[in-house]
Amino acid sequence: ASIIGKSLLSLGRVIRSLVAKDKHVPYRESKLTRILSDSLGGSSYTALILACTPNSEMVGETMSTLSYGMLARNVKNVPKKNVELKKKGKDGKVEV
């Protein structure tokens, strides 16, 4: 459980850095943020799913989750199409 907590803290730091447009984004702090580096502030479309409960005993967790989601939605990605270049054809041009 502590490793999951550290990964989520690192993810929060990465999201805050991306929202603040810092020059350095700490992707290397955890395996989770390394894996998600292309999706977070990269060139991919990204969706975030939040799990909340209507249970009044868990209102603190729900509010924390919702504030995390509100922060994460401010991350702006620039989706780009991946293009694979092929070998030159007979005419010497590179095919796309």
Side-chain angles (χ1 to χ4, degrees):
S2 67
I3 294 173
I4 293 171
K6 287 179 183 179
S7 292
L8 291 176
L9 282 173
S10 295
L11 182 60
R13 285 189 203 110
V14 167
I15 290 172
R16 279 190 281 286
S17 293
L18 290 170
V19 170
K21 297 184 181 180
D22 292 341
K23 288 184 180 182
H24 173 69
V25 180
Y27 289 117
R28 292 184 168 195
E29 287 188 4
S30 76
K31 288 181 182 180
L32 177 67
T33 54
R34 273 187 237 146
I35 291 169
L36 295 176
S37 63
D38 286 338
S39 299
L40 298 169
S43 60
S44 304
Y45 284 109
T46 304
L48 178 66
I49 299 171
L50 304 174
C52 300
T53 178
N55 186 347
S56 62
E57 293 177 10
M58 302 299 285
V59 71
E61 288 289 326
T62 297
M63 294 305 293
S64 174
T65 301
L66 291 174
S67 66
Y68 190 80
M70 294 288 287
L71 181 64
R73 78 178 189 170
N74 293 319
V75 174
K76 302 297 181 204
N77 286 4
V78 181
K80 296 177 186 172
K81 184 177 181 180
N82 291 334
V83 177
E84 188 175 314
L85 297 177
K86 298 178 183 175
K87 293 184 179 181
K88 291 183 180 181
K90 292 180 182 179
D91 58 359
K93 294 182 180 179
V94 176
E95 297 176 17
V96 179

